[in-house]
Amino acid sequence: MLPGVGVFGTGSTARVLVPLLKAEGFEVHALWGRSEEEARCLAKELGIPFHTSRSDDVLLHQDVDLVCIYIPPSMTRQIAVKALGIGKNVLCEKAATAVDSFKMVTAARYYPQLLSIMGNTLRFLPAFVAMRQMLVERYVGEMQVCDVRVYGPSLLDQSYGWTCEELMGGGGLHTVGSAIIDLLSFLTGARANRVHGLLRTFVQQNGLIRGIRRVTSDDFCFFQMLMGGAGSSSGGVCCTVTLNFNMPGSFVHEVMVVGSTGRLVARGTELYGQRNGSKGEELLLGDSGWAGPEVKEMPLPHLQGLSSMVKSLRQSFQAHAERRSWAREPVAMAPTFEDGLYVQTVVEAVKRSSCSGEWECVEIMSQEPDPNHNLCEALQRNKN
Amino acid sequence: MLPGVGVFGTGSTARVLVPLLKAEGFEVHALWGRSEEEARCLAKELGIPFHTSRSDDVLLHQDVDLVCIYIPPSMTRQIAVKALGIGKNVLCEKAATAVDSFKMVTAARYYPQLLSIMGNTLRFLPAFVAMRQMLVERYVGEMQVCDVRVYGPSLLDQSYGWTCEELMGGGGLHTVGSAIIDLLSFLTGARANRVHGLLRTFVQQNGLIRGIRRVTSDDFCFFQMLMGGAGSSSGGVCCTVTLNFNMPGSFVHEVMVVGSTGRLVARGTELYGQRNGSKGEELLLGDSGWAGPEVKEMPLPHLQGLSSMVKSLRQSFQAHAERRSWAREPVAMAPTFEDGLYVQTVVEAVKRSSCSGEWECVEIMSQEPDPNHNLCEALQRNKN
């Protein structure tokens, strides 16, 4: 039996997600918005019976068994951790910091019977599912290089907000780079050991953001990851990622994996391959034809991935008679909160590298930093 | 009146160059090869009256006024410097080291009346000539990012040789990267201040190179250059270059410049552009249709560039009645030996960066390093 759903957020993803959930048979019972007005408008538009601007009203709603959190990164941790504590299943977007991600991991570990997955939908896109399968089957032989390019128009909201602020989780690296970092670990089966990056904010002001306000989040980002553990003789796969969001009117989403005997490349939602020695590229998976809504802010790979993920969620829940129970297998490839922590750790390492100019190690947090650490040190100093 | 030409080298470039020279009316009088046999074969094939394996025979040949040097990088400096000393005009490929390049610069400065240009032909390709003109006319507004990708099959020769050896000037960075570094300084009108790079040799042995022999030259290279001097508010243009020569059966040559109001991209020999706000890309310069020979080892942009360069050389020389005199204007955009030194300096900085993992400064040599430097230090130490 499918669980009742509560949705946090009134942005473009929430707007797309609700119809997808309904199409799969989920009932969406409650919607939370930052203001009563925003919540009321979207609830009316999407036909959701209950709306609120108080988070507890959704979390404690008796018909809500699955909470979907699509809100600004800085608010995500609080809602996600609380939802798990109340005993609700959670699907959520990334948090703003590694510390927040770590707290979410701790909560997820504490409630292993609850579903807790990150909303990175690229893993579910059929092209990437097929790509991973072919990599496992050694279509490219020994993996050498992954090369990713995402070009598109500005990610900034119409008005000044978190998307403009690096510290609030805005910027190409955090927003889009996160999804790519997660995808690359999914495809290669390895994690980054060391990263190097360069971030730039080329457009610091525009027609809407001006005066004393400046954009601090990156609109150009370029990073390299040296993946560990794959046991390759040349020391693992090199990943290079170029993100450029100063390209209005274009959308390029290309993920290429080059290996010793061939290569695979996903362009948008299609997968192509070429083995060394063959004359040309072969189309391995064509576009299935997207019948759903077109969303300006949401590129097709993310949109179709989201749709596939909702289908998997349905399969996961409908396997059980109890509303809150779910089967692991259909969502086994979904990113966990641990994956979320890894991604966030890489994002922060790339940012550090952009400041230091050096390669930075990716060290996953294993215990929460003591918030009183500085205080303790100060006390210690005073004593001596 | 056109000068008589002597050609050094029997490789693919020399093989293409001679017919192009002849087509423009140059007479090729002499050919040098590393072995008498190689020289004899190619001279016969191309109809060159004189061949030799002794360099002086070409340099001192009385009908030779222009020397074209297309030989392994480690031998280039010696021939180029000697040719200038004998009073011949020189067109040559890159040297193996910055010290060699510096010696060539010194010789070129000493004989300013002689033509001395580097054989980087991309500057002459019509697509890049047009691209540069449009960048000057601010088609893209303020330049932000240059993104270059060159993918192709292995650069290694059939047998073990200098192309396999990093120290001999082999590898993607030195061979192809050099041309790109030169091109980017031509397009942006700026030079790299700092670089960061990563080199890999994924294929260390193959069917022909095996046993105790290993390839040390890179087949994958990835570097970034921060350009100085352009006076941009965000601190100059960022260039990112990806070279991958583990992609048999493909050839991708893409140079993109993204700016504040639009972008330009050269794919192969064609130029496309898109201004922000317009619906799609426009074709700015189509392929003119290459009627010349197809050369497997030489991608079309280089081949067509070489052809354009030979045309410019003809214009430069035919402006004057005297065989050795030439006009500056038709070859004004050709890379000088100083440009060659800059390129070599960047190449070495990228290699240093790949070892150190850090950003490396590009510092152009201003005086020849003292070959007895270490000796002097040792003597100094002994004295104290």
Side-chain angles (χ1 to χ4, degrees):
Chain A
M1 195 180 152
L2 293 182
V5 179
V7 172
F8 282 81
T10 53
S12 52
T13 312
R15 193 179 292 265
V16 177
L17 180 66
V18 171
L20 292 173
L21 285 166
K22 288 185 166 183
E24 292 298 319
F26 288 93
E27 269 188 68
V28 180
H29 292 288
L31 178 75
W32 174 93
R34 280 172 76 174
S35 72
E36 198 66 36
E37 177 62 16
E38 277 177 0
R40 196 181 54 74
C41 282
L42 192 63
K44 192 177 166 200
E45 184 186 325
L46 298 173
I48 301 172
F50 177 77
H51 66 267
T52 178
S53 64
R54 288 186 305 172
S55 56
D56 284 358
D57 290 352
V58 175
L59 294 178
L60 296 170
H61 194 293
Q62 60 175 2
D63 295 328
V64 168
D65 313 297
L66 169 64
V67 176
C68 300
I69 306 170
Y70 287 86
I71 55 180
S74 57
M75 304 162 68
T76 298
R77 185 260 308 156
Q78 191 196 346
I79 307 289
V81 170
K82 200 165 186 181
L84 289 170
I86 293 169
K88 308 286 170 114
N89 297 302
V90 172
L91 162 66
C92 75
E93 275 283 10
K94 59 205 158 300
T97 66
V99 175
D100 276 5
S101 302
F102 185 78
K103 287 179 177 164
M104 286 165 58
V105 166
T106 308
R109 282 185 191 151
Y110 202 78
Y111 305 102
Q113 78 286 7
L114 293 175
L115 175 127
S116 56
I117 61 179
M118 300 299 294
N120 184 2
T121 59
L122 289 180
R123 289 184 180 217
F124 287 89
L125 187 74
F128 292 124
V129 175
M131 196 172 191
R132 184 176 187 231
Q133 186 56 33
M134 302 194 81
L135 289 171
V136 169
E137 290 163 5
R138 295 181 66 80
Y139 181 98
V140 307
E142 189 86 31
M143 276 186 266
Q144 295 169 345
V145 173
C146 301
D147 194 3
V148 178
R149 302 195 300 165
V150 183
Y151 300 156
S154 174
L155 297 170
L156 301 181
D157 276 339
Q158 286 297 310
S159 59
Y160 186 83
W162 70 272
T163 55
C164 306
E165 278 287 345
E166 187 239 323
L167 293 174
M168 300 278 281
L173 172 62
H174 198 273
T175 315
V176 178
S178 288
I180 299 297
I181 293 163
D182 180 66
L183 177 68
L184 289 172
S185 79
F186 173 72
L187 291 174
T188 62
R191 284 184 166 184
N193 280 338
R194 297 200 306 147
V195 298
H196 190 271
L198 182 76
L199 280 76
R200 280 281 185 279
T201 308
F202 282 109
V203 177
Q204 298 184 355
Q205 299 199 309
N206 62 27
L208 296 156
I209 295 148
R210 55 195 171 186
I212 56 158
R213 284 186 160 158
R214 269 176 200 285
V215 179
T216 60
S217 58
D218 61 289
D219 51 19
F220 173 76
C221 174
F222 180 70
F223 62 96
Q224 297 150 266
M225 301 190 288
L226 296 179
M227 312 300 273
S232 153
S233 56
S234 345
V237 183
C238 300
C239 297
T240 64
V241 180
T242 311
L243 311 173
N244 193 335
F245 298 101
N246 290 311
M247 296 179 59
S250 79
F251 183 72
V252 172
H253 197 280
E254 196 179 290
V255 177
M256 182 165 66
V257 181
V258 182
S260 54
T261 63
R263 54 194 174 270
L264 288 166
V265 51
R267 297 195 184 94
T269 59
E270 297 190 317
L271 181 65
Y272 298 84
Q274 181 167 0
R275 287 187 211 259
N276 296 352
S278 73
K279 278 238 158 171
E281 269 185 2
E282 51 177 337
L283 177 65
L284 297 168
L285 190 76
D287 186 48
S288 54
W290 174 243
E294 295 276 340
V295 185
K296 201 176 128 282
E297 297 87 353
M298 205 174 187
L300 209 51
H302 288 268
L303 197 54
Q304 289 199 18
L306 187 63
S307 165
S308 299
M309 187 177 69
V310 171
K311 285 194 176 74
S312 300
L313 272 179
R314 194 243 307 141
Q315 289 162 6
S316 172
F317 280 102
Q318 75 182 8
H320 286 264
E322 222 277 294
R323 280 201 318 175
R324 292 196 186 170
S325 300
W326 51 285
R328 248 164 240 285
E329 201 276 316
V331 289
M333 73 179 167
T336 62
F337 281 16
E338 315 250 354
D339 292 319
L341 173 60
Y342 159 72
V343 168
Q344 188 62 41
T345 306
V346 174
V347 165
E348 293 185 5
V350 171
K351 287 184 180 178
R352 271 204 318 280
S353 169
S354 181
C355 291
S356 70
E358 295 180 14
W359 285 90
E360 296 283 346
C361 288
V362 177
E363 280 162 10
I364 310 280
M365 201 176 282
S366 59
Q367 62 180 51
E368 203 170 326
D370 182 354
N372 296 324
H373 180 68
N374 290 330
L375 183 63
C376 289
E377 266 194 351
L379 288 172
Q380 212 70 31
R381 259 200 307 277
N382 279 347
K383 259 201 330 210
N384 299 338
Chain B
M1 197 177 155
L2 292 182
V5 179
V7 172
F8 282 80
T10 54
S12 53
T13 311
R15 195 178 291 266
V16 177
L17 180 66
V18 171
L20 290 173
L21 285 166
K22 287 184 167 182
E24 292 297 319
F26 288 92
E27 270 187 68
V28 180
H29 292 289
L31 177 74
W32 174 93
R34 280 172 79 172
S35 72
E36 198 67 35
E37 177 62 14
E38 277 176 0
R40 197 183 53 75
C41 283
L42 192 64
K44 191 178 168 199
E45 182 186 327
L46 298 173
I48 301 173
F50 176 78
H51 66 267
T52 179
S53 64
R54 289 185 305 172
S55 56
D56 284 359
D57 290 352
V58 174
L59 294 178
L60 296 170
H61 195 294
Q62 59 175 3
D63 294 328
V64 169
D65 313 298
L66 168 64
V67 177
C68 300
I69 306 169
Y70 287 85
I71 55 180
S74 57
M75 304 164 67
T76 299
R77 186 260 309 157
Q78 190 196 347
I79 307 289
V81 169
K82 199 164 187 182
L84 289 170
I86 293 169
K88 308 284 168 115
N89 297 301
V90 173
L91 162 66
C92 74
E93 274 284 8
K94 58 203 158 302
T97 66
V99 175
D100 276 6
S101 301
F102 185 79
K103 286 179 176 163
M104 285 165 60
V105 166
T106 308
R109 282 186 190 149
Y110 202 78
Y111 304 103
Q113 79 286 7
L114 293 174
L115 175 128
S116 56
I117 62 179
M118 301 299 295
N120 183 2
T121 59
L122 290 180
R123 290 184 179 216
F124 285 90
L125 187 74
F128 292 125
V129 174
M131 196 172 191
R132 183 178 188 230
Q133 185 57 34
M134 302 193 81
L135 289 171
V136 169
E137 289 163 4
R138 294 181 67 81
Y139 182 96
V140 307
E142 190 87 29
M143 275 185 267
Q144 295 169 345
V145 172
C146 301
D147 195 3
V148 178
R149 302 196 298 165
V150 183
Y151 300 156
S154 172
L155 297 170
L156 301 181
D157 276 341
Q158 286 297 311
S159 61
Y160 186 83
W162 71 271
T163 55
C164 305
E165 279 288 345
E166 187 239 321
L167 292 175
M168 300 278 282
L173 172 62
H174 198 273
T175 315
V176 178
S178 288
I180 299 297
I181 293 163
D182 181 66
L183 178 68
L184 289 173
S185 79
F186 173 72
L187 291 175
T188 62
R191 284 184 166 184
N193 279 338
R194 295 200 307 147
V195 299
H196 191 271
L198 182 76
L199 279 77
R200 280 281 185 280
T201 308
F202 282 109
V203 179
Q204 296 184 355
Q205 298 199 310
N206 61 26
L208 297 156
I209 297 149
R210 56 195 171 187
I212 57 157
R213 284 188 160 158
R214 270 175 200 285
V215 178
T216 59
S217 58
D218 59 290
D219 51 19
F220 174 76
C221 173
F222 179 70
F223 62 96
Q224 298 152 265
M225 302 190 287
L226 296 180
M227 312 300 271
S232 154
S233 56
S234 344
V237 182
C238 299
C239 296
T240 66
V241 180
T242 311
L243 311 172
N244 193 336
F245 298 101
N246 290 310
M247 295 179 61
S250 79
F251 183 72
V252 173
H253 196 280
E254 196 180 291
V255 177
M256 182 165 65
V257 182
V258 182
S260 54
T261 63
R263 54 195 175 268
L264 288 165
V265 51
R267 297 195 185 93
T269 59
E270 297 190 317
L271 181 65
Y272 299 83
Q274 182 167 0
R275 286 186 211 259
N276 295 353
S278 73
K279 278 237 160 172
E281 269 186 1
E282 50 177 337
L283 177 66
L284 297 169
L285 190 75
D287 186 48
S288 54
W290 174 241
E294 294 277 338
V295 185
K296 200 175 128 283
E297 296 87 354
M298 205 174 187
L300 209 51
H302 287 268
L303 197 55
Q304 289 200 18
L306 187 63
S307 164
S308 299
M309 188 178 67
V310 172
K311 285 196 175 73
S312 299
L313 272 179
R314 194 245 305 142
Q315 288 161 7
S316 171
F317 280 103
Q318 76 182 8
H320 285 263
E322 224 278 292
R323 282 200 315 176
R324 294 197 184 169
S325 300
W326 51 285
R328 248 164 238 284
E329 201 275 320
V331 290
M333 70 180 168
T336 62
F337 281 17
E338 315 250 354
D339 292 319
L341 173 60
Y342 159 72
V343 167
Q344 189 59 44
T345 306
V346 174
V347 165
E348 294 185 4
V350 171
K351 287 185 180 177
R352 271 203 320 278
S353 169
S354 182
C355 292
S356 70
E358 294 180 15
W359 284 91
E360 295 283 346
C361 287
V362 177
E363 279 163 11
I364 310 280
M365 202 176 280
S366 59
Q367 62 181 51
E368 206 170 324
D370 181 356
N372 295 324
H373 180 69
N374 290 331
L375 183 64
C376 288
E377 267 194 350
L379 289 172
Q380 210 71 31
R381 259 200 307 276
N382 281 347
K383 257 199 335 206
N384 298 337

